[in-house]
Amino acid sequence: MRNAKYFSENPHLDALITNLEGLRSEILRHPIYQKIRDERCLRNFMENHCFVVWDFMSLLKFLQRSLSSVEIPWRPRGDARSRRLINEIVMEEESDEDGKGSYLSHFELYRQAMVEAGADTHKLDAFLHALEDGHRIKGALTRAGVSEGPSDFLLTTWSLLETESVPAIASAFTLGREDLVPAMFHHLVAGLGQSHPERWGTFLFYLNRHIQLDGDTHGPMALQLLARICGDDAARWRQAHEAAEKALRARLRLWDFISGTL
């Protein structure tokens, strides 16, 4: 599921990926994929996984803010190639084609898929309303009654964001998300939409869109971005390793949690 040409170009990245392969494989071999066999299980999955879709955008926006200029007055900032890579990813994640002739963020598309599939969006909506009311992440999760699994995942993401370490956050974004998602979603696509496609069409579009974009475009671009950010700096690569491992372990705990509810 990876485009291997992006590994051999950077020995530091190659070593990092090799070191994390066991943990990545554990996620991809997780029994959760075999347990999602009916509509009830898939709705349960969506009701927990939707928070992961939401917090991805905060990782992305941190990187956009760090690698390009989003303040007024505008001024050139950082490496132009890195700016190009992150802004291309932002464009499609925040305003992608929705399959119906319009545009949505991937999060909005996911929520639309939940409604279409009959999944409960109450906790997700309550969480977002709590944030709008000024609650911090932990308080918003508590106020909305979000379950332990997704709460733990979001708090792990926020602990990484609070470090404000660009190498760490870029690594969590790349190796914990963009590089991992296509292989994970392949497991979910099989058989989906064969019955009641009117309920699962948007979700299937969402999954396939991520397999296409992350596998062919965003994943390789994110790997290039991580390599440019860390360069030959050993300290930056250590931060990248620690963050990627933390993100992958959070994913594994979330999969354990959801699997236990199916």
Side-chain angles (χ1 to χ4, degrees):
M1 289 304 300
R2 289 200 189 103
N3 193 331
K5 73 177 182 178
Y6 292 100
F7 307 160
S8 58
E9 292 175 358
N10 188 296
H12 303 289
L13 181 59
D14 193 14
L16 176 57
I17 289 170
T18 299
N19 288 336
L20 294 170
E21 190 58 40
L23 188 54
R24 184 180 189 272
S25 296
E26 193 174 350
I27 293 170
L28 296 180
R29 295 196 308 266
H30 198 281
I32 189 172
Y33 309 108
Q34 283 68 50
K35 284 190 171 185
I36 301 175
R37 291 302 188 197
D38 57 38
E39 293 184 2
R40 179 194 66 82
C41 290
L42 193 49
R43 290 190 187 101
N44 185 317
F45 173 83
M46 295 174 80
E47 289 163 10
N48 287 283
H49 182 249
C50 61
F51 294 95
V52 178
V53 179
W54 173 82
D55 85 341
F56 167 86
M57 286 302 300
S58 291
L59 291 171
L60 179 57
K61 284 297 185 176
F62 174 90
L63 292 173
Q64 185 185 33
R65 188 182 68 187
S66 300
L67 299 172
S68 65
S69 180
V70 294
E71 293 86 16
I72 297 172
W74 178 89
R75 60 201 180 280
R77 183 177 185 181
D79 170 56
R81 178 63 178 169
S82 295
R83 291 198 304 263
R84 174 74 181 195
L85 290 169
I86 199 65
N87 283 328
E88 281 195 41
I89 296 173
V90 167
M91 184 189 73
E92 288 175 326
E93 294 288 350
E94 195 168 29
S95 53
D96 196 14
E97 300 172 10
D98 68 353
K100 300 174 183 177
S102 190
Y103 303 93
L104 285 174
S105 69
H106 286 177
F107 169 73
E108 291 168 307
L109 186 64
Y110 196 98
R111 189 190 177 284
Q112 187 179 94
M114 291 178 71
V115 172
E116 184 179 275
D120 187 357
T121 65
H122 175 75
K123 289 183 179 180
L124 177 62
D125 295 340
F127 170 71
L128 294 176
H129 289 149
L131 291 177
E132 290 174 2
D133 289 341
H135 292 273
R136 297 175 68 84
I137 293 296
K138 188 172 184 179
L141 290 166
T142 301
R143 187 177 180 86
V146 178
S147 301
E148 176 186 352
S151 291
D152 171 73
F153 191 95
L154 262 65
L155 291 173
T156 299
T157 299
W158 239 252
S159 72
L160 290 168
L161 286 167
E162 287 172 347
T163 69
E164 297 191 353
S165 163
V166 175
I169 294 164
S171 184
F173 172 80
T174 299
L175 298 172
R177 305 294 183 103
E178 296 288 58
D179 178 63
L180 183 67
V181 160
M184 287 194 312
F185 282 3
H186 261 296
H187 292 286
L188 294 175
V189 165
L192 184 62
Q194 293 180 9
S195 62
H196 304 296
E198 73 281 359
R199 292 211 296 267
W200 301 106
T202 300
F203 189 48
L204 185 60
F205 175 83
Y206 170 89
L207 295 175
N208 281 321
R209 186 67 174 149
H210 268 278
I211 291 169
Q212 174 194 359
L213 282 177
D214 294 347
D216 297 340
T217 308
H218 291 182
M221 288 168 67
L223 288 167
Q224 290 183 60
L225 183 65
L226 179 60
R228 295 183 74 85
I229 288 169
C230 293
D232 290 318
D233 189 320
R236 290 190 171 199
W237 283 109
R238 282 194 297 272
Q239 291 176 47
H241 184 280
E242 291 170 4
E245 182 173 348
K246 190 173 185 178
L248 290 170
R249 291 196 182 281
R251 174 80 64 171
L252 192 56
R253 291 195 302 273
L254 179 63
W255 266 201
D256 287 342
F257 173 83
I258 298 176
S259 182
T261 70
L262 300 178

